[in-house]
Amino acid sequence: MKLDARIPSGPIEKKWEKCRFDMKLVNPANKRKFSVIVVGTGLAGGSAAATMGELGYNVKAFCFQDSPRRAHSIAAQGGINAAKNYQNDGDSIYRLFYDTVKGGDFRAREANVYRLAEISVNIIDQCVAQGVPFAREYGGLLANRSFGGAQVSRTFYARGQTGQQLLLGCYQALERQVQAGRVTMYARHEMLELIVIGGKARGIVTRNLVTGKIESHIADAVVLATGGYGNVFYLSTNAKGSNTTAIWRAHRKGALFANPCFTQIHPTCIPVSGDYQSKLTLMSESLRNDGRIWVPVQKGDKRKPSQIPEGERDYYLERRYPSFGNLVPRDVASRAAKGACDEGRGVGETGLGVYLDFGDAIRRLGKGVVAERYGNLFEMYERITGEDPYTVPMRIFPAIHYTMGGLWVDYRLMSTIPGLFVIGEANFSDHGANRLGASALMQGLADGYFVLPYTIGDYLANTKLDMVDASHAEARQAEADANGQVKKLLGIGGKRTVDSFHREMGKMMWDECGMSRNAKGLEKAIGRIAELEQEFWKNVTVTGAGEELNQSLEKAGRLADFFELAQLMCRDAKERNESCGGHFREEFQTPEGEAMRNDDDYCYAAAWEYKGPGKKHELHREALSFEYVHLAQRSYK
Amino acid sequence: MKLTLHIWRQKNASSPGKMVRYETDANEHMSFLEMLDVLNEGLIAKGEEPVAFDHDCREGICGSCGFVINGVAHGPLPSTTVCQLHMRHFKDGDELYLEPWRAAAFPVIKDLVVDRSAFDRIIAAGGYISVSTGSAVDANALPVRKKDSDMAMDAAQCIGCGACVAACPNASASLFLSAKMSHLGLLPQGQPERMERALNMVAAANEGLFGSCTNIGECEAVCPKGIRLEFIARMNRDFLKAAWTFRQERVESD
Ligand SMILES: Cc1cc2nc3c(=O)[nH]c(=O)nc-3n(C[C@H](O)[C@H](O)[C@H](O)COP(=O)(O)OP(=O)(O)OC[C@H]3O[C@@H](n4cnc5c(N)ncnc54)[C@H](O)[C@@H]3O)c2cc1C
Ligand code: FES
């Protein structure tokens, strides 16, 4: 299989314009003759569905929550980047592009990243027009803050609830189209299969989560906007329902899966407190603007933080990376925290934590200013830990947060299955091996508002689509497969709960395919996960019936797909004999312990092809070339 | 700590439900939902059906979770959703009664899960600014007074959980409605549609079987996001003005 990314020719700043000009348009009157399915109504899917509705397409949108307003995007806290240069601090589209390529450790496609930076400015305009209440200065203009991996202030935010406000803007635009009759919304529906007819994506099979009814939906194109798969680790900052099922099922039908092992570990999360723990809570990266990270100089120092004098504290990020200090990118900050804990200098009961201290900021700015900037995050911290971060430094530890990997897409966001588009966190496109803070929201909205609605039009205008309906043999087969899986899961009648399996697999993934990896450990994990998967299919217990709301059944189906994905992630991590971004292979590091890339052999996106149940995946490579941002070791010193 | 739970169990919308008693263990670091997870793991191990409840983010922001604990929506801690409520606020031997939101507009689907789609229909009726993608001007071309923007943000924080409706003796959706109307109505972008918005959203709420507001204030007391009653006053002003203007315009155009 030859991977063609369809990157337009010409200089980078003209590529998107050229692409838009070259694309065929669908005449307005014809748009209503086309139907599009959008699975997922987070920032990516919601914005895409709303915009395509506005353009006149017939859109069917799906989400598993009870309302599109609850997609996981709602939880994003810190902000969204845009190259507005409102602060006059030297920002530009080119700089945002440069920072993102470098932040991604040179494993993203330059052309995509440039387009993202270019579109970033339109997103802010659109969102403000919708009424998103971004933070403002006293003069009434928009405020900005800084995020990791950048030396300019380009992050727009709405207190600590930026994702919420952006998603509500997008949800409201979507509901406007629902009212207008252009979008039909199917909440509490889960996609279980993709329908491929004549080599093209033509529909999906869903389960109505209230009645259990399994049915097919047919359309002219399918868009997956189903978010990330961080929950493969069980504990992550993702919402509990976030899953891989939609993209994994599409993968099994022929869509290549790219860079599955590129996972982002966020440095500032609340540490784990017990084995009943169901998720990890992020403390926004924006806190690193004013908070200082430290551990005691002495190993095993059990004194209270207030009793440790200044001279016996190691502000290790400021020491090791003087120019970026506490604002180094996430992968660097996470590894440094792990390093400090591995040396026995971690804090808190478990020793798996470092301090994030606001003492200086409060002295410098006053409690009021700190409260205005981070008040709701401080409250959340106190609610969970029972400690007051105004007086006691926060304890934080890295946690799984985001997945850069996802279905492979070309420049036009189409997967290797014609007619199947993938947007938002579900695709692999823009962040390379490490995503910079505040750029997922930007990517989701760029894809959904400004890229996909164009590129899908070109596909529809250029493609001959046969008339098909749900009685087609492929649709029936996909339905039968979905039904079969439900029956199988309900019929096992074993002894272990779904969650107990998920926890066990998640722990293996965290230990062997988490913050640092090595070939031996990965090999071991692949074997053990396969064994656990086998046990799952013999010994899981799923109570209740298929024809009703059944949350254990939902979880079991998702876990079944996570098992397969986990093995591919380990294989991908093992195959990549280098360290880059969030992928840190212990065998490949510089003498100072920094990630060591191998551009001669691994400057590519790894795109995996499914070859059938129990068969080994086949690796395809999309070579990456860097014409603008020259390959160099990242330095944040 | 040992707890006695009485939980509303109802198989589906058409079956009758009843309170069922459970004994369970918890520790103080758990969240309330983690305590229920542990209970559910035990039930599944015994071959019984786990208690169904909605949840997703478990960070107090998605608005999925919510039920009544001992008569109070989201339980005893102010400004806190059940997913953010930790067991350290309870003590050994406590007896807790868990029930779903009760309102004609929110029919029970199963156990503690209710259907809140009426909220989506209210937003669809007018809870937006009509601006199609691509038609926006530069974001800083439109300065907004910081005070207005901050207050709009206060209102915009509503998570649509439905606690306000569950707590209101009239099952009114006024706090929810007023939060959206105030968010958009406080901003310059929201002015052109302000009046229609008020009329259409209120009409949708009436169709959705929500009751009317008699200023009791229970909604504000349980709101996990601290949405204030004063927003209801703003909404009422807008609604009255809109109803009056609308009638006026109709008279003039006749
Ligand atoms: C706690 C937290 C804080 C964050 N903060 C920031 C930040 O400050 N800035 C930033 O840029 N990024 C941030 N991120 C990352 C960012 O929020 C996400 O990457 C982004 O919101 C993903 O958007 P999405 O539209 O791709 O997917 P999601 O918002 O995850 O939406 C997925 C959608 O797909 C649906 N779905 C999934 N599977 C199925 C299925 N099988 N069938 C039907 N529907 C399905 C869901 O119902 C949902 O509607 C944060 C992430 C977390 C976890
Ligand atoms: S689960 Fe999201 S608000 Fe409680």
Side-chain angles (χ1 to χ4, degrees):
Chain A
M1 182 181 299
K2 171 114 181 52
L3 288 174
D4 178 6
R6 291 200 284 172
I7 299 169
S9 57
I12 201 154
E13 61 287 352
K14 295 276 179 225
K15 284 185 195 291
W16 177 230
E17 195 183 326
K18 175 168 165 27
C19 179
R20 276 189 301 173
F21 184 74
D22 289 345
M23 280 187 295
K24 223 167 153 178
L25 299 176
V26 182
N27 151 343
N30 281 341
K31 287 201 178 100
R32 67 190 149 78
K33 297 187 189 146
F34 289 109
S35 58
V36 179
I37 283 173
V38 180
V39 189
T41 50
L43 285 178
S47 58
T51 305
M52 288 190 291
E54 288 160 12
L55 290 172
Y57 294 108
N58 283 305
V59 181
K60 278 185 173 185
F62 297 81
C63 71
F64 66 74
Q65 291 92 348
D66 69 327
S67 162
R69 69 179 290 149
R70 309 204 198 283
H72 166 60
S73 294
I74 198 106
Q77 303 170 350
I80 177 167
N81 287 331
K84 282 285 196 188
N85 193 28
Y86 283 160
Q87 304 307 321
N88 193 27
D89 56 1
D91 200 9
S92 63
I93 289 171
Y94 199 88
R95 187 176 294 280
L96 175 54
F97 156 68
Y98 175 91
D99 287 349
T100 308
V101 170
K102 176 181 167 201
D105 216 356
F106 301 92
R107 290 294 174 264
R109 221 184 259 150
E110 276 192 331
N112 283 57
V113 178
Y114 192 90
R115 174 177 66 191
L116 177 65
E118 201 178 340
I119 290 174
S120 68
V121 297
N122 306 110
I123 296 173
I124 302 303
D125 299 342
Q126 183 63 28
C127 294
V128 167
Q130 289 172 343
V132 170
F134 283 124
R136 288 176 184 271
E137 307 288 358
Y138 281 99
L141 301 178
L142 292 163
N144 289 114
R145 56 164 61 139
S146 310
F147 252 58
Q151 288 172 312
V152 294
S153 203
R154 64 160 77 97
T155 304
F156 294 78
Y157 63 100
R159 295 197 190 142
Q161 291 117 290
T162 316
Q164 179 198 27
Q165 294 310 315
L166 295 174
L167 184 65
L168 292 180
C170 164
Y171 155 73
Q172 288 161 200
L174 179 66
E175 291 296 338
R176 180 163 79 102
Q177 294 310 306
V178 169
Q179 187 80 348
R182 309 278 5 139
V183 176
T184 312
M185 186 64 222
Y186 296 82
R188 291 198 199 270
H189 276 68
E190 179 156 50
M191 167 181 163
L192 296 181
E193 285 292 347
L194 178 73
I195 300 172
V196 180
I197 298 176
K200 300 187 188 84
R202 293 304 301 271
I204 60 171
V205 176
T206 58
R207 179 168 179 273
N208 177 325
L209 299 182
V210 176
T211 65
K213 187 164 184 239
I214 290 183
E215 60 184 338
S216 300
H217 300 266
I218 300 293
D220 297 312
V222 176
V223 181
L224 299 185
T226 50
Y229 52 86
N231 280 347
V232 66
F233 292 87
Y234 191 74
L235 287 181
S236 84
T237 61
N238 288 12
K240 290 293 287 175
S242 298
N243 69 89
T244 191
T245 290
I247 57 172
W248 191 257
R249 294 280 142 185
H251 171 58
R252 291 177 54 133
K253 286 277 166 76
L256 300 199
F257 204 120
N259 300 335
C261 83
F262 284 175
T263 325
Q264 175 160 84
I265 300 192
H266 198 293
T268 52
C269 302
I270 300 180
V272 176
S273 66
D275 55 12
Y276 47 80
Q277 189 132 356
S278 59
K279 76 158 288 172
L280 296 172
T281 303
L282 174 79
M283 288 285 106
S284 167
E285 172 160 322
S286 59
L287 292 169
R288 289 200 271 144
N289 266 296
D290 291 309
R292 297 180 68 198
I293 294 178
W294 63 275
V295 292
V297 172
Q298 287 300 324
K299 277 184 199 177
D301 188 339
K302 289 286 163 211
R303 285 177 292 176
K304 284 192 188 146
S306 56
Q307 292 166 347
I308 302 180
E310 207 47 45
E312 293 174 43
R313 300 175 174 193
D314 178 14
Y315 294 90
Y316 56 87
L317 290 178
E318 298 171 21
R319 173 171 58 79
R320 286 174 59 182
Y321 306 100
S323 65
F324 280 71
N326 291 296
L327 284 173
V328 291
R330 292 175 176 176
D331 52 335
V332 177
S334 293
R335 265 198 301 282
K338 178 176 188 292
C341 297
D342 289 349
E343 289 161 19
R345 301 195 290 148
V347 301
E349 257 174 53
T350 57
L352 294 175
V354 300
Y355 290 124
L356 177 60
D357 195 339
F358 288 85
D360 277 354
I362 292 170
R363 275 187 293 276
R364 179 165 45 90
L365 304 164
K367 193 174 163 185
V369 174
V370 172
E372 182 175 341
R373 287 188 191 161
Y374 311 110
N376 66 323
L377 296 170
F378 280 31
E379 263 171 45
M380 179 143 81
Y381 181 85
E382 182 168 7
R383 215 171 269 140
I384 293 173
T385 62
E387 291 172 3
D388 172 16
Y390 291 103
T391 53
V392 186
M394 283 185 177
R395 279 174 302 111
I396 52 158
F397 196 66
I400 298 290
H401 179 57
Y402 182 89
T403 47
M404 282 76 71
L407 292 187
W408 184 90
V409 289
D410 62 17
Y411 185 75
R412 298 182 182 192
L413 305 180
M414 192 162 88
S415 71
T416 48
I417 302 176
L420 180 71
F421 293 79
V422 191
I423 60 177
E425 192 173 339
N427 74 21
F428 89 114
S429 70
D430 298 351
H431 308 295
N434 173 57
R435 176 175 72 77
L436 290 183
S439 58
L441 303 182
M442 168 171 76
Q443 181 222 336
L445 291 179
D447 288 358
Y449 281 133
F450 296 106
V451 181
L452 178 92
Y454 283 102
T455 58
I456 207 167
D458 179 68
Y459 170 77
L460 294 170
N462 276 317
T463 309
K464 187 174 164 321
L465 292 157
D466 299 329
M467 283 285 287
V468 293
D469 61 29
S471 65
H472 192 282
E474 291 294 340
R476 292 228 173 129
Q477 183 58 47
E479 251 177 65
D481 292 345
N483 265 310
Q485 164 117 332
V486 166
K487 289 220 177 65
K488 195 167 159 195
L489 287 167
L490 287 167
I492 296 169
K495 296 224 158 18
R496 272 184 78 176
T497 64
V498 177
D499 278 0
S500 83
F501 279 105
H502 198 163
R503 273 181 205 281
E504 188 176 341
M505 180 187 68
K507 177 81 176 33
M508 289 179 197
M509 286 295 285
W510 175 247
D511 289 343
E512 307 299 347
C513 196
M515 240 185 303
S516 74
R517 304 148 174 200
N518 63 59
K520 228 171 101 206
L522 290 163
E523 193 57 48
K524 190 173 85 188
I526 295 174
R528 287 177 55 203
I529 292 168
E531 277 166 32
L532 192 65
E533 184 186 17
Q534 279 181 3
E535 188 197 334
F536 170 82
W537 285 108
K538 289 202 196 96
N539 194 27
V540 72
T541 170
V542 182
T543 51
E547 298 75 31
E548 61 179 1
L549 178 72
N550 187 338
Q551 294 173 326
S552 318
L553 177 63
E554 293 165 28
K555 287 199 272 190
R558 293 170 190 163
L559 178 57
D561 294 328
F562 277 138
F563 271 123
E564 296 184 12
L565 168 66
Q567 293 165 61
L568 183 64
M569 289 171 73
C570 292
R571 177 120 186 259
D572 184 46
K574 190 173 152 251
E575 198 81 23
R576 193 172 274 281
N577 288 311
E578 64 164 349
S579 293
C580 56
H583 169 65
F584 189 75
R585 279 281 300 274
E586 288 157 10
E587 304 94 317
F588 308 101
Q589 48 181 310
T590 64
E592 307 91 68
E594 305 292 343
M596 199 161 74
R597 279 197 337 259
N598 174 351
D599 294 324
D600 293 338
D601 299 319
Y602 293 95
C603 197
Y604 61 73
W608 296 89
E609 183 184 355
Y610 184 78
K611 298 298 243 185
K615 298 222 173 82
K616 274 207 159 160
H617 277 72
E618 185 182 339
L619 174 62
H620 302 271
R621 297 174 176 85
E622 180 199 336
L624 300 170
S625 60
F626 293 88
E627 292 172 37
Y628 294 85
V629 188
H630 295 295
L631 283 165
Q633 192 199 333
R634 283 189 314 173
S635 168
Y636 293 96
K637 297 190 193 283
Chain B
M1 65 177 84
K2 297 226 177 296
L3 299 170
T4 304
L5 304 173
H6 301 265
I7 305 178
W8 183 261
R9 301 301 308 259
Q10 178 172 344
K11 193 155 178 48
N12 53 42
S14 50
S15 319
K18 60 171 196 287
M19 298 300 281
V20 178
R21 180 164 193 253
Y22 301 94
E23 307 283 336
T24 195
D25 271 327
N27 81 40
E28 61 177 78
H29 296 296
M30 289 176 171
S31 71
F32 203 90
L33 298 188
E34 286 168 344
M35 182 274 289
L36 288 181
D37 290 342
V38 170
L39 171 75
N40 277 343
E41 288 287 290
L43 291 177
I44 298 170
K46 285 192 282 181
E48 289 176 37
E49 269 210 59
V51 179
F53 57 89
D54 264 327
H55 66 103
D56 200 22
C57 72
R58 297 202 175 191
E59 291 189 5
I61 191 75
C62 74
S64 294
C65 69
F67 43 81
V68 174
I69 304 173
N70 288 355
V72 183
H74 286 302
L77 206 65
S79 303
T80 305
T81 55
V82 287
C83 62
Q84 290 280 288
L85 176 61
H86 279 67
M87 297 313 291
R88 76 179 79 90
H89 303 288
F90 297 88
K91 56 181 195 310
D92 189 42
D94 272 356
E95 194 153 356
L96 306 174
Y97 291 79
L98 313 189
E99 289 178 81
W101 294 160
R102 303 268 185 213
F106 292 163
V108 173
I109 292 177
K110 183 175 185 171
D111 299 343
L112 303 175
V113 177
V114 301
D115 177 353
R116 288 169 291 195
S117 53
F119 269 8
D120 291 330
R121 290 190 288 277
I122 291 177
I123 298 296
Y128 43 74
I129 290 171
S130 299
V131 50
S132 294
T133 304
S135 52
V137 297
D138 183 85
N140 259 353
L142 195 78
V144 180
R145 223 161 57 122
K146 182 164 163 40
K147 229 173 109 198
D148 293 338
S149 169
D150 285 348
M151 205 202 277
M153 180 66 200
D154 290 343
Q157 296 191 76
C158 167
I159 58 174
C161 63
C164 48
V165 176
C168 175
N170 308 329
S172 162
S174 290
L175 198 65
F176 170 78
L177 282 162
S178 70
K180 188 47 58 194
M181 282 186 221
S182 303
H183 160 208
L184 300 175
L186 277 157
L187 297 171
Q189 306 89 301
Q191 298 314 309
E193 293 166 295
R194 185 164 166 186
M195 297 300 137
E196 284 87 343
R197 183 179 306 123
L199 292 174
N200 293 338
M201 287 180 74
V202 170
N206 292 338
E207 269 170 42
L209 302 181
F210 293 100
S212 44
C213 174
T214 51
N215 283 317
I216 300 169
E218 288 290 336
C219 52
E220 183 183 44
V222 298
C223 176
K225 295 292 137 179
I227 307 289
R228 298 187 300 271
L229 273 183
E230 64 178 85
F231 292 126
I232 298 187
R234 286 185 155 270
M235 164 173 90
N236 290 339
R237 274 202 308 275
D238 276 8
F239 180 75
L240 286 176
K241 190 165 165 216
W244 189 81
T245 319
F246 185 69
R247 207 172 303 137
Q248 226 22 47
E249 282 176 359
R250 217 170 37 191
V251 171
E252 282 163 16
S253 66
D254 273 350

